[in-house]
């Protein structure tokens, strides 16, 4: 903004020069209006992303170029492969459950009379609205080893107590549960919007043909919602794969390294242990999955762009 | 729907009158039943947060029913709000979020206008690039950013690490791409005749933007503002990685790092703090739910 004013003022001062003419051109003004955005993207996103690749090829004190030394080092460590596995299990399981729960609840909300839907939708979206770090704290307290409110219920039902965050298996289950709790409402909202856009006539036609409710979902609802389902799952995969808050607050990767995902381990190695190049290397392993998801999303967007 | 039900019921059991409405009624009852179950699941942690924050210290450590408050008290809130640290976190968070909202909206509304309407060489590529930027997560960038900060300190002497205002520089990277993207969508849906008329009347581009586009796309701007505020309020990774002193922390990190002291968890206060921290987004959501949801769905359904 200031640039435009300053440069056009300067142009005016030096008389009606060719610079002035250039400044008056629509595309120049447009470019200047987008300039803050371009600068921000290049300095704070594109450059750091490229810099991460450079960092991953340095040694710990960042004095020597080691090529793929850091990658080589990681590939030989069993912990690294555990984290790859845990990241994949975490992301895939969480996304599947979020998608299923979101789909089912969206149908229930869509079933009830329209005037009640707003209220239910409002209540069910609350987990998404609360900052993840805050709500994870309440889960941490629900999972507390000695005062767990869940275990209190379990004991009263005659079930054994569970060490929610203390045992590797249960800790893995817990981080996924919290992730599903936070993320499912997002799917619910997206699916509900999609469900509303399916024309009523299609269901009527299906019913006249004698379709059961299951066939109506399989042959009418799902195909009509295919785009939204795909894009929501892709978005969610990216966010879940890069998740940090939940694991960090709930278990900080523990017990031992059982629940670490790429992001939390990169933080531990890069910031807490001070090995910046190794941390950068770990975080780079998120790139392949992000690239695949991004390609699909972009393809979908350009496809829809050409339809319009 | 009613017709559909008639047809199904007609095909399956032709002779029983009244079964249509009975089927509908049962479907409705089951829907309410399951919705209630899911609502309990979704609202249980915030509810538990609330009741824990109302409990006195003794009751939290007692072995009584944890799902009930026997002696409700506001002590946790009073203690928390009289602590300087918590108020500092809250103030830092509020200033950072408001500044980020202003910076983001200035950058993204102007850029979106230029990308949606004015077009220049490479503007289509840039629009796609903006969206791609939105997909790059903070967890990929925090390590190189950390290193860049120490480079800035070494070359210019400006210390960026361990200052809350650094967040005002960093958060827009998370908010600007998405806001620009949804604003492009909103601006593109405004009929061309409107800005052509304005140009014919002699309006400059800036006037077209402020007099026509911003008022017409106001719902989109509100949705983008809400998104922006909630993202900056909730951001956890950057402040955790870049700030350490108690006076420089923002709310989420402040609660997680200072209230959890070693093994002594002061759960009443932690829950009170988390509840107050969750309050601003929840209040905005309660009053502007439709805009909030519009912003949420815009990313995928527009564009």
């Amino acid at each position: 903004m200031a640039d435009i004013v300053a440069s056009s003022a300067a142009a005016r001062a030096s008389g009606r020069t060719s610079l002035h003419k250039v400044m008056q051109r629509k595309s120049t003004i447009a470019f200047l209006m987008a300039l803050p955005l371009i600068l921000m993207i290049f300095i704070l996103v594109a450059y750091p992303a490229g810099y991460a690749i450079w960092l991953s090829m340095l040694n710990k004190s960042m004095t020597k170029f080691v090529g793929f030394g850091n990658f080589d080092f990681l590939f030989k460590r069993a912990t690294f492969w555990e984290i790859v596995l845990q990241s994949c299990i975490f992301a895939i399981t969480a996304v599947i459950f979020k998608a299923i729960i979101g789909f089912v609840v969206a149908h229930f909300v869509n079933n009830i009379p329209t005037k009640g839907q707003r209220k239910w939708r409002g209540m069910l979206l609350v987990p998404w609205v609360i900052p993840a770090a805050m709500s994870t704290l309440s889960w941490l307290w629900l999972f507390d080893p000695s005062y767990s409110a869940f275990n209190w219920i379990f004991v009263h039902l005659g079930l054994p107590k569970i060490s929610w965050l203390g045992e590797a298996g249960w800790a893995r289950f817990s981080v996924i549960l919290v992730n599903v709790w936070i993320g499912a409402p997002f799917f619910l909202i997206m699916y509900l919007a999609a469900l509303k856009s399916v024309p009523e006539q299609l269901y009527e036609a299906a019913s006249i043909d004698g379709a059961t409710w299951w066939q109506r979902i399989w042959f009418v609802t799902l195909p009509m919602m295919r785009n939204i389902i795909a894009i929501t799952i892709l978005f969610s995969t990216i966010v879940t794969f890069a998740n940090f808050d939940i694991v960090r607050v709930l278990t900080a990767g523990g017990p031992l390294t059982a629940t670490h995902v790429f992001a939390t381990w990169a933080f531990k190695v890069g910031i807490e242990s001070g090995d910046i190049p190794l941390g950068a290397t770990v975080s780079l392993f998120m790139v392949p999955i992000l690239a695949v998801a991004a390609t699909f999303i972009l393809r979908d967007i350009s496809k829809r762009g050409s339809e319009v | 729907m009613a017709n559909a039900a008639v047809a199904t019921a007609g095909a399956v059991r032709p002779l029983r009158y009244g079964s249509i409405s009975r089927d509908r009624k049962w479907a409705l009852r089951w829907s309410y039943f399951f919705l209630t179950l899911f609502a309990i699941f979704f609202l249980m942690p915030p509810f538990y947060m609330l009741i824990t924050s109302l409990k006195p210290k003794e009751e939290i450590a007692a072995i009584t029913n944890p799902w009930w408050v026997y002696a409700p008290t506001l002590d946790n809130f009073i203690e928390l709000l009289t602590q300087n640290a918590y108020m500092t976190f809250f103030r830092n968070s509020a200033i950072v979020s408001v500044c980020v909202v202003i910076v983001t909206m200035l950058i993204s509304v102007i850029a979106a206008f230029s990308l949606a309407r004015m077009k220049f060489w490479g503007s289509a590529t840039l629009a796609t690039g903006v969206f791609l930027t939105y997909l790059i997560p903070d967890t990929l960038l925090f390590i190189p950013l950390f290193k860049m900060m120490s480079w800035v300190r070494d070359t210019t002497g400006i210390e960026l690490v361990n200052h809350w205002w650094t967040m005002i520089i960093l958060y827009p990277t998370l908010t600007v791409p998405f806001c620009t993207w949804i604003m492009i969508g909103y601006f593109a849906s405004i009929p061309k005749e409107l800005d052509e008329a304005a140009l014919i009347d002699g309006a400059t581009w800036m006037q077209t933007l402020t007099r026509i586009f911003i008022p017409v796309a106001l719902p989109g701007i509100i949705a983008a503002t809400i998104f922006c505020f909630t993202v900056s309020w909730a951001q956890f990774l950057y402040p955790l990685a870049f700030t350490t002193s108690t006076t420089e922390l923002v709310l989420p990190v402040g609660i997680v790092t200072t209230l959890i002291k070693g093994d002594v968890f002061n759960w009443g206060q932690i829950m009170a703090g988390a509840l107050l921290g969750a309050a601003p987004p929840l209040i905005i959501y309660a009053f502007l739910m439709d805009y909030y949801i519009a912003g949420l769905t815009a990313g995928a359904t527009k564009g």
Side-chain angles (χ1 to χ4, degrees):
Chain A
M1 268 312 294
D3 301 8
I4 304 174
V5 178
S7 32
S8 55
R12 213 171 294 131
S14 65
R16 307 240 155 218
T17 57
S18 59
L19 177 69
H20 186 224
K21 243 176 252 161
V22 170
M23 294 308 303
Q24 286 294 314
R25 263 173 44 201
K26 187 178 135 192
S27 59
T28 316
I29 302 173
F31 178 74
L32 289 175
M33 285 168 88
L35 196 61
L37 173 80
I38 299 170
L39 287 179
M40 197 207 77
I41 288 181
F42 272 95
I43 297 173
L44 291 172
V45 181
Y47 177 73
Y51 192 40
I53 299 173
W54 169 246
L55 278 176
S56 73
M57 297 185 187
L58 300 176
N59 69 347
K60 186 174 176 181
S61 51
M62 287 175 283
T63 48
K64 214 173 79 205
F65 181 82
V66 293
F68 292 101
N70 285 317
F71 292 88
D72 211 37
F73 174 74
L74 282 179
F75 289 150
K76 287 195 192 111
R77 279 181 75 174
T79 321
F80 172 72
W81 293 109
E82 276 169 33
I83 283 151
V84 173
L85 187 67
Q86 168 62 14
S87 296
C88 294
I89 295 175
F90 174 76
I92 295 169
T93 323
V95 170
I96 290 174
F97 276 98
K98 281 189 264 194
I100 294 173
I101 292 178
F103 191 76
V104 170
V105 181
H107 267 89
F108 286 134
V109 176
N110 201 35
N111 258 353
I112 65 172
T114 322
K115 65 175 194 288
Q117 286 183 11
R118 222 182 112 82
K119 195 178 66 193
W120 283 99
R121 194 184 58 175
M123 276 200 291
L124 295 169
L125 194 61
V126 166
W128 181 264
V129 181
I130 302 176
M134 313 282 179
S135 49
T136 312
L137 274 176
S138 77
W139 280 99
L140 182 63
W141 175 221
L142 281 163
F143 289 144
D144 189 87
S146 30
Y147 301 105
S148 170
F150 289 143
N151 281 347
W152 185 85
I153 297 176
F154 280 25
V155 167
H156 279 253
L157 293 173
L159 297 163
K161 279 189 180 183
I162 291 170
S163 162
W164 293 99
L165 304 173
E167 270 172 49
W170 280 111
R172 289 189 179 121
F173 168 83
S174 303
V175 287
I176 292 170
L177 176 71
V178 176
N179 195 302
V180 170
W181 178 80
I182 290 177
F186 174 67
F187 279 83
L188 161 73
I189 291 301
M190 298 295 278
Y191 289 167
L192 203 56
L195 275 178
K196 301 260 178 247
S197 66
V198 180
E200 199 66 33
Q201 293 94 314
L202 291 181
Y203 290 113
E204 285 170 22
S207 304
I208 291 164
D209 290 346
T212 60
W213 67 270
W214 172 246
Q215 284 171 323
R216 266 182 296 173
I217 288 181
W218 191 253
F219 293 109
V220 181
T221 316
L222 281 177
M224 289 303 287
M225 285 170 63
R226 204 179 56 212
N227 272 336
I228 295 273
I229 292 177
I231 208 156
T232 314
I233 286 181
L234 288 169
F235 267 118
S236 180
T237 308
I238 291 180
V239 175
T240 315
F241 213 78
N243 185 279
F244 176 80
D245 303 12
I246 296 169
V247 176
R248 174 72 199 180
V249 175
L250 208 58
T251 63
L256 295 174
T257 52
T259 53
H260 262 310
V261 290
F262 286 128
T264 54
W265 206 49
F267 185 87
K268 186 159 176 53
V269 172
I271 305 285
E272 291 185 329
S273 310
D275 193 342
I276 288 179
L278 198 63
T281 316
V282 172
S283 65
L284 278 180
F285 278 93
M286 287 186 281
V287 171
I289 199 88
L290 298 178
V292 171
T295 317
F296 278 107
I297 293 178
L298 283 179
R299 215 177 55 182
D300 177 80
I301 282 168
S302 57
K303 205 167 64 196
R304 269 192 295 169
S306 59
E307 276 165 18
V308 177
Chain B
M1 249 351 259
N3 299 352
V6 171
T8 346
V12 180
R13 1 182 161 69
L15 287 174
R16 278 164 54 195
Y17 294 107
S19 71
I20 305 153
S21 63
R22 202 158 58 227
D23 278 1
R24 291 280 298 147
K25 211 177 269 173
W26 273 107
L28 205 60
R29 275 181 199 159
W30 279 114
S31 294
Y32 278 122
F33 174 72
F34 283 110
L35 277 179
T36 313
L37 281 188
F38 279 112
I40 291 172
F41 171 61
F42 283 135
L43 294 178
M44 172 191 56
F47 170 74
Y48 195 58
M49 207 190 258
L50 175 68
I51 59 173
T52 309
S53 70
L54 295 174
K55 285 180 189 176
K57 278 198 181 65
E58 312 76 57
E59 201 180 318
I60 288 172
I63 42 156
T64 49
N65 181 355
W67 296 96
W68 191 251
V69 197
Y70 294 96
T73 161
L74 287 175
D75 284 355
N76 291 317
F77 289 94
I78 294 165
E79 262 177 65
L80 202 65
L81 294 176
T82 47
Q83 266 176 28
N84 282 328
Y86 189 81
M87 294 315 284
T88 313
F89 304 154
F90 210 95
R91 197 204 61 203
N92 288 348
S93 259
I95 299 175
V96 167
S97 302
V98 170
C99 290
V100 170
V101 166
I102 294 169
V103 170
T104 306
M105 293 321 286
L106 279 178
I107 295 179
S108 64
V109 167
I110 294 173
F113 178 71
S114 124
L115 290 178
R117 268 301 195 271
M118 299 173 70
K119 309 266 159 73
F120 53 91
W121 186 82
S123 58
T125 320
L126 183 61
T128 316
V130 166
F131 187 71
L132 207 61
T133 317
Y134 169 57
L135 299 179
I136 299 178
D138 49 356
T139 40
L140 190 62
L141 300 178
F142 73 100
I143 290 178
L145 283 172
F146 190 74
K147 194 73 191 47
M148 281 165 72
M149 285 178 182
S150 52
W151 177 81
V152 168
R153 182 188 50 217
D154 293 343
T155 46
T156 63
I158 303 169
E159 178 63 275
L160 290 171
V161 175
N162 204 6
H163 284 300
W164 59 265
W165 46 261
T166 310
M167 302 306 138
I168 301 174
I169 307 169
L170 291 181
Y171 287 2
T173 58
L174 307 167
T175 53
V176 167
F178 185 74
C179 290
T180 311
W181 180 251
I182 65 172
M183 288 322 296
I184 291 175
Y186 274 100
F187 284 161
S189 68
I190 294 174
K192 275 237 164 38
E193 289 77 17
L194 218 55
D195 45 308
E196 277 163 12
L199 283 177
I200 289 166
D201 287 348
T204 62
W205 285 105
M206 261 308 160
Q207 282 170 328
T208 320
L209 173 62
T210 52
R211 302 277 173 81
I212 297 182
F213 276 70
I214 291 178
V216 173
L218 199 62
I221 290 178
I222 297 174
T225 309
I226 295 173
F227 167 84
C228 199
F229 179 83
T230 45
V231 165
S232 16
W233 190 266
Q235 172 55 228
F236 183 66
L237 173 61
Y238 286 164
L240 186 69
F242 303 138
T243 52
T244 43
S245 321
T246 321
T247 51
E248 303 295 335
L249 297 178
V250 294
L251 201 57
V253 180
I255 295 171
V256 170
T257 57
T258 63
L259 289 180
I260 299 178
K261 294 181 195 99
D263 289 335
V264 190
F265 286 18
N266 193 348
W267 280 109
Q269 276 192 31
I270 295 174
M271 290 294 107
L275 198 67
L276 290 176
L282 279 175
I283 291 168
I284 290 175
Y285 169 67
F287 285 101
L288 300 167
M289 191 166 83
D290 294 323
Y291 293 110
Y292 189 99
I293 288 170
L296 209 57
T297 47
T301 51
K302 277 205 189 303

